[in-house]
Amino acid sequence: MDRDKGWNPYLAGGLSGLVSILSVWVAGKYLGASTTFVRTSGMIERLFDPDRIARMEYFIREAPKIDWQWMMVVGIMIGSFIAAASSGSFRLQAVPDMWRERFGPGVGRRAVFAFIGGIIAMFGARLADGCPSGHGLSGSLQLAVSGYIALACFFLGGVVAARIIYGRGGSR
Amino acid sequence: MTDLVYGLITGILFGFFLQKGRVLRYDKQLGALRFQDFTIIKFMLSHIIVAMVGVYFLYDLGLVKLSIKATILGGVVVGGLLFGLGWGMLGYCPGTSLGALGEGRWDAIWGIMGMLVGAGLFAEMYPLLKATVLTWGNYGKLTIPQVLGVNHWLVVIPVAAAAAVFLVWLERFEARAARMRTEAAEGVHTPGGK
């Protein structure tokens, strides 16, 4: 862990802020990620029942297609891989360290929690119309009222969940 | 097509910095939610300060447009809290899940599958939600400068300053917590040796 320090988070965060500015300037696009899951879901469901998907209101609004944001989300994975592989911090890991300390190395329990957490998180993100990227970063930086309310609710819900899962106090 | 290329390049750069800032990992996300490790807060606030100043500067020059999401209290509050609960369970958010996968943390796959199911579920329930939760407290597209009726720089500068002060306080808080941990550890281990 100590050999795997990474950059100063202020520097990395500030540089990512420049990426945000450039993206808005050059492409007219604000960062976001959760709509991509809707589009992908629609693309997968369309394989089974195209007529039904074509009629569904939400998939008419957020058409199941590959767009700017879809490519950006794929890009995040590639960029992360490049950064990790070039600095030797790429590591295949089935269970995060903190999780392992509390619940052991079992993959099953982690998979169930992550899967259910994913369902709840994405349902909430769509209801809120954004995630920590769309509301938390892009909304806040534009001084949108919705961005700050969402950010507060994200953290409040997250702190409650973490407290329930890990209990009071810390493992340290 | 150009859009898709821009998207890919933007994502690669963003993902690169997310990984370098070490904010993609479960331990960092839960670390923040457990008040133990504030890396993601530092990253997010730095991003917001820099991009806020840059975007509003370009906005004044007429070079960019804002894209504000509506403030629908029902959706933002209920959805935001639900997102938070799920985020605490998963330990990744939609963007960082793909990034975590990119650095080999493949438990993100379960989360990505769950999020695809969650998106599908939301699409099924959208007609119902649109008629209920998404009508509660709809104030439309609203920014803080609009609410206050002031020029945006009168909000940008105080927000940036407040974020900077908060970060300084956070650094001191962390230093104090680290010192207390060291002292506590020494107190336990010194007498008997380890």
Side-chain angles (χ1 to χ4, degrees):
Chain A
M1 192 69 199
D2 289 316
R3 278 186 299 148
D4 186 24
K5 281 294 280 181
W7 293 0
N8 179 317
Y10 300 114
L11 175 68
L15 287 170
S16 80
L18 290 180
V19 174
S20 220
I21 297 171
L22 277 174
S23 174
V24 175
W25 193 359
V26 177
K29 303 283 188 188
Y30 286 88
L31 303 186
S34 61
T35 314
T36 292
F37 287 80
V38 176
R39 298 194 200 281
T40 309
S41 221
M43 284 190 273
I44 295 169
E45 287 184 59
R46 199 167 53 186
L47 298 175
F48 301 100
D49 195 347
D51 297 338
R52 188 162 164 276
I53 297 308
R55 284 195 310 270
M56 281 176 65
E57 194 180 353
Y58 202 60
F59 287 127
I60 292 168
R61 211 184 99 158
E62 313 287 2
K65 59 163 202 244
I66 292 174
D67 67 343
W68 176 89
Q69 192 198 80
W70 203 95
M71 294 302 286
M72 196 211 80
V73 172
V74 171
I76 290 177
M77 184 169 69
I78 299 171
S80 161
F81 175 75
I82 294 170
S86 62
S87 63
S89 65
F90 182 90
R91 187 152 63 98
L92 279 177
Q93 195 183 38
V95 176
D97 297 333
M98 187 189 285
W99 178 276
R100 177 189 294 263
E101 220 174 272
R102 177 82 169 80
F103 298 108
V107 173
R109 193 198 307 226
R110 171 64 188 140
V112 170
F113 259 75
F115 183 74
I116 295 172
I119 295 175
I120 299 171
M122 186 50 66
F123 190 89
R126 290 330 301 160
L127 189 55
D129 196 26
C131 59
S133 307
H135 267 312
L137 297 178
S138 299
S140 301
L141 75 88
Q142 294 179 79
L143 299 173
V145 173
S146 52
Y148 287 91
I149 298 175
L151 200 51
C153 292
F154 293 163
F155 273 94
L156 184 59
V159 166
V160 169
R163 179 61 61 93
I164 292 169
I165 295 168
Y166 286 94
R168 274 185 77 86
S171 57
R172 296 180 191 178
Chain B
M1 186 62 204
T2 328
D3 252 14
L4 300 186
V5 175
Y6 280 144
L8 188 66
I9 296 170
T10 308
I12 290 174
L13 289 169
F14 190 42
F16 186 89
F17 294 130
L18 285 167
Q19 203 279 337
K20 287 297 184 195
R22 295 292 183 265
V23 294
L24 296 169
R25 293 175 191 171
Y26 175 95
D27 289 15
K28 294 291 183 183
Q29 310 224 350
L30 263 293
L33 297 179
R34 298 176 68 196
F35 305 109
Q36 292 176 348
D37 180 332
F38 299 98
T39 311
I40 67 168
I41 312 279
K42 297 175 190 175
F43 185 97
M44 285 184 85
L45 288 180
S46 306
H47 180 110
I48 290 169
I49 294 172
V50 168
M52 176 172 65
V53 171
V55 164
Y56 270 105
F57 180 71
L58 295 173
Y59 178 72
D60 278 350
L61 297 177
L63 295 171
V64 303
K65 290 195 183 97
L66 299 183
S67 165
I68 305 292
K69 290 177 194 283
T71 298
I72 304 172
L73 289 181
V76 175
V77 172
V78 178
L81 291 172
L82 274 177
F83 175 85
L85 290 172
W87 178 33
M89 289 177 74
L90 170 56
Y92 303 114
C93 51
T96 54
S97 63
L98 271 294
L101 193 58
E103 57 171 355
R105 276 61 183 179
W106 63 269
D107 59 324
I109 288 176
W110 314 119
I112 292 167
M113 292 194 317
M115 288 192 281
L116 289 173
V117 172
L121 205 62
F122 181 82
E124 296 295 331
M125 290 181 63
Y126 181 66
L128 173 69
L129 295 165
K130 200 179 97 172
T132 54
V133 186
L134 291 173
T135 62
W136 303 344
N138 186 348
Y139 293 90
K141 297 180 177 182
L142 209 59
T143 66
I144 299 173
Q146 278 171 357
V147 173
L148 300 177
V150 295
N151 178 281
H152 43 260
W153 290 102
L154 287 177
V155 182
V156 169
I157 294 165
V159 166
V165 168
F166 176 70
L167 290 171
V168 170
W169 175 82
L170 200 60
E171 286 292 333
R172 290 193 183 161
F173 174 83
E174 277 185 318
R176 202 175 60 220
R179 208 164 49 232
M180 278 164 62
R181 270 202 304 276
T182 321
E183 279 164 15
E186 278 166 357
V188 171
H189 293 302
T190 317
K194 194 175 169 184

